[in-house]
Amino acid sequence: MLVEQIVNGVVLGSMYALIAQGYTLVFGVLDKLNFAHGEVFMLGGFICLASIALGASLPIAILVTAIVSGLLGLLVEFVGFRKFRSADAHITAALSSFAIGLVIIDLSQKVWGAEPVALTLPGTLQTATISIAGLKMVVLRLAILAISLLLMLVLYLVVVKTSLGRRIRAVAESPTKAALFGINVTRVNQQVFFIASAMAALAGLALAVRTGYASTDVGFTFGLKALAIMAIGGMGDIRGALIGGLLIGVLEALAFQWGLGQLADVFVWLFMIAILLVRPAGLFGTLVSKEVRA
Amino acid sequence: MVRMGPMTETPVLAVENLQVSYGPINALRGCTLEVRAGETVAVVGANGAGKTTLLRAICNMLPWSGAIRLDGVPTDRSPTHKLARQGVIHLPENRGILTTQTVLENLQLAFDTYPSKRSFGAAVEEAFAHFPRLKERQAQPAGNLSGGEQQMLALARAIISTPKILLLDEPSLGLSPRMVREAYRILRGFKARGMAILLVEQNVHAALRFANRGYVLRQGAIVRQGEADVLAHDTELFNQYLGFT
Ligand SMILES: Nc1ncnc2c1ncn2[C@@H]1O[C@H](COP(=O)(O)OP(=O)(O)OP(=O)(O)O)[C@@H](O)[C@H]1O
Ligand SMILES: [Mg+2]
């Protein structure tokens, strides 16, 4: 059913968007990519799984996942970025965050093994369906969509309307000017890493709960796709990450609908290249540096 | 009015034997100066004399050696943002306003970061009373303002931050003669309220007309100091150290 596939695509897209907003927030303030981000997303599923294995209810597991991952984000900031803030430290920061990602995968595989681990919730939460306008839909998917959109709306309002958001935007514009405004730049970086990591982990949790298992290999595929989505939306723009995520989710769903599921990834990457050829700064971005190196 | 004050009075800002180098370049070679309560002090010097470096060192934006004291207490290389919260407000050469945020957001940020008993509304109304033009443009991104308006916003930000000491880097840079007069008119208002100000300028005449005392900086060293009106009439000084009359 076409409409059903589109809804599925939107649900998938909202998870991509949650991850991509984290990339884009960090990129906005530090001008650097956090290559550990995809693995923080992956670990979200396992933290949820572990919490539930320890007897936590789903709401508690969600809270634990967000907080533990936020703290992990602080560690990533400290180890991978604190010392590498200068503009010429891109490669160093990329390598160190990539290394942190590899460590997260390796440790996860030591603890949970390389095979996917089943994550079944008590009751019918994972299977219950609902009929809306003749369409049968899995309640859980709709809940994931609603919660993801709500999280992103809250993030948007925080960035645009609050004192924290003004500080984040100030650091994004210029850490030097921000410091002269009395803003603790390190603190803002930490806050951004906490928020970004918690959001990514919640996306990982949603994926694990939806598919019924947690897997150590989703960090790479989802992480890479979320990077593409950030570029499509415009680096550093959280609206762009949302729109880009939904677009890619729907595109993939349509590929499956049309029996081209094997080629879904190819579509995503071709779509990214096409968008960037037309709009090099992405849908919502503006290229700051006009200097062309050729 | 020239405040002389008893010599025992603790200066708001005291800089002693300040040295800064950029690799092999010694930009500051042992500067000593002070700003007392309610005093306006100008540091003048030619291009590359080290004026900007001096203000950046005071805010701990670069490595330095020597001693810097605020109200007699060593700053001990406190980070820039902490110094700002203690009231060391530095308006840099590029004016330091956030061009991606609106006029109002800039003022709100200035207000957010300084503990104050007033409400934001009261603080911003006071700022707008000085700068009616900014009130009209409060919802505009600061980057859309003209150079003169941006300077007004920088000064409005300074008012809201209620500085212990205001550090100004070439407030006349890039402004038309009319805007330069306007900027100094506003700064005279700050002076009249007893704000301590340390101003660095290439525009020697404007700076010395404005200040109580002056220092002449040449190749990273203080070569003259004294009452501003005395320095302003020292033609030898102009020929010898500033390279123009
Ligand atoms: N980042 C830097 N790296 C190396 N040298 C620097 C740097 N910044 C300044 N300098 C040098 O230090 C000296 C003092 O520079 P500074 O900017 O403090 O001068 P200034 O008095 O503010 O000049 P101007 O009137 O042109 O603004 C100059 O010789 C300058 O070339
Ligand atoms: Mg200068």
Side-chain angles (χ1 to χ4, degrees):
Chain A
M1 214 34 255
L2 182 64
V3 181
E4 217 175 287
Q5 279 299 348
I6 290 179
V7 172
N8 288 342
V10 170
V11 175
L12 180 66
S14 69
M15 285 187 237
Y16 286 150
L18 275 179
I19 313 171
Q21 290 203 330
Y23 272 123
T24 225
L25 261 185
V26 168
F27 182 81
V29 295
L30 282 174
D31 221 11
K32 296 189 173 64
L33 293 174
N34 171 16
F35 285 103
H37 194 59
E39 305 314 331
V40 172
F41 154 79
M42 176 278 284
L43 197 60
F46 284 98
I47 297 175
C48 171
L49 184 137
S51 315
I52 285 175
L54 291 172
S57 63
L58 184 60
I60 297 294
I62 290 175
L63 203 65
V64 169
T65 304
I67 292 172
V68 170
S69 306
L71 295 176
L72 178 62
L74 297 189
L75 189 67
V76 173
E77 186 273 337
F78 182 72
V79 178
F81 292 88
R82 182 77 60 89
K83 289 268 182 267
F84 311 130
R85 280 201 215 155
S86 69
D88 50 12
H90 280 101
I91 304 286
T92 324
L95 282 174
S96 61
S97 61
F98 195 73
I100 296 169
L102 292 178
V103 169
I104 295 176
I105 299 185
D106 278 356
L107 288 180
S108 304
Q109 292 189 343
K110 288 281 174 306
V111 176
W112 289 289
E115 297 302 314
V117 184
L119 171 54
T120 35
L121 297 172
T124 56
L125 189 62
Q126 281 164 308
T127 48
T129 56
I130 184 176
S131 281
I132 301 172
L135 282 176
K136 212 170 105 183
M137 278 179 293
V138 182
V139 176
L140 183 64
R141 293 191 175 179
L142 298 183
I144 289 173
L145 177 61
I147 293 172
S148 306
L149 292 180
L150 187 71
L151 276 177
M152 287 185 273
L153 177 69
V154 169
L155 176 68
Y156 181 76
L157 291 177
V158 165
V159 169
V160 175
K161 298 269 185 222
T162 67
S163 166
L164 173 61
R166 285 191 290 274
R167 291 200 298 277
I168 290 175
R169 284 181 288 135
V171 175
E173 177 174 333
S174 158
T176 312
K177 288 187 202 173
L180 290 178
F181 265 87
I183 294 168
N184 184 342
V185 174
T186 303
R187 174 80 46 80
V188 170
N189 289 343
Q190 290 177 319
Q191 287 162 332
V192 161
F193 266 88
F194 189 99
I195 295 171
S197 303
M199 284 178 64
L202 290 180
L205 181 156
L207 182 73
V209 171
R210 202 206 74 189
T211 55
Y213 57 85
S215 159
T216 52
D217 56 21
V218 294
F220 184 73
T221 45
F222 275 68
L224 207 56
K225 228 169 262 178
L227 269 181
I229 287 162
M230 167 175 67
I232 290 169
M235 309 281 277
D237 192 293
I238 55 173
R239 290 163 309 169
L242 171 61
I243 303 296
L246 297 182
L247 273 176
I248 292 298
V250 171
L251 192 74
E252 277 192 34
L254 289 179
F256 278 99
Q257 172 72 17
W258 294 325
L260 298 168
Q262 311 268 311
L263 292 174
D265 281 356
V266 175
F267 279 142
V268 170
W269 295 104
L270 286 180
F271 183 70
M272 180 191 84
I273 292 172
I275 292 273
L276 294 183
L277 283 177
V278 181
R279 283 186 66 89
L283 295 174
F284 287 85
T286 44
L287 283 186
V288 181
S289 171
K290 293 186 183 67
E291 192 180 330
V292 175
R293 293 196 210 184
Chain B
M1 180 194 73
V2 178
R3 274 188 57 132
M4 289 302 289
M7 290 316 284
T8 51
E9 187 189 2
T10 313
V12 179
L13 171 73
V15 172
E16 250 172 60
N17 193 27
L18 185 67
Q19 306 191 30
V20 174
S21 45
Y22 298 104
I25 304 166
N26 294 321
L28 289 182
R29 298 177 294 172
C31 288
T32 298
L33 58 84
E34 63 179 36
V35 182
R36 297 171 214 139
E39 194 183 34
T40 56
V41 171
V43 174
V44 296
N47 281 113
K51 305 181 295 295
T52 298
T53 304
L54 171 67
L55 296 193
R56 291 173 60 88
I58 292 171
C59 292
N60 203 24
M61 296 166 77
L62 38 76
W64 50 271
S65 65
I68 299 175
R69 279 189 286 274
L70 283 177
D71 288 332
V73 183
T75 60
D76 282 335
R77 297 190 170 66
S78 215
T80 305
H81 70 92
K82 279 207 182 132
L83 290 170
R85 282 164 182 250
Q86 285 171 28
V88 181
I89 303 302
H90 177 184
L91 304 187
E93 274 171 314
N94 60 13
R95 322 218 192 281
I97 58 170
L98 294 159
T99 52
T100 54
Q101 302 201 33
T102 67
V103 168
L104 202 59
E105 284 176 327
N106 269 274
L107 298 179
Q108 219 149 15
L109 268 169
F111 184 81
D112 286 346
T113 23
Y114 307 99
S116 157
K117 281 168 236 79
R118 301 182 297 176
S119 71
F120 176 64
V124 94
E125 273 318 309
E126 189 203 333
F128 284 156
H130 288 85
F131 308 101
R133 187 93 186 96
L134 292 181
K135 184 169 190 172
E136 291 165 29
R137 313 210 58 179
Q138 55 179 298
Q140 291 271 323
N144 290 2
L145 303 181
S146 73
E149 289 166 345
Q150 292 193 4
Q151 183 65 276
M152 296 299 117
L153 177 57
L155 294 174
R157 186 213 136 187
I159 296 188
I160 286 201
S161 305
T162 54
K164 180 196 297 292
I165 180 160
L166 181 62
L167 310 178
L168 287 165
D169 198 342
E170 313 232 16
S172 61
L173 194 75
L175 298 184
S176 69
R178 214 188 105 247
M179 280 311 301
V180 173
R181 280 196 300 278
E182 174 66 9
Y184 273 99
R185 188 186 65 74
I186 292 157
L187 289 175
R188 274 195 190 85
F190 289 7
K191 183 180 173 177
R193 302 149 128 228
M195 192 185 290
I197 299 177
L198 176 62
L199 165 83
V200 309
E201 265 283 12
Q202 275 188 63
N203 189 338
V204 181
H205 292 286
L208 292 179
R209 249 198 323 273
F210 167 69
N212 301 132
R213 285 191 307 119
Y215 294 86
V216 179
L217 189 62
R218 181 172 183 259
Q219 291 175 10
I222 303 277
V223 290
R224 274 298 176 88
Q225 55 182 295
E227 296 301 318
D229 46 3
V230 176
L231 289 179
H233 294 99
D234 187 340
T235 41
E236 184 212 352
L237 166 87
F238 279 74
N239 292 330
Q240 210 177 327
Y241 297 123
L242 298 171
F244 51 83
T245 53

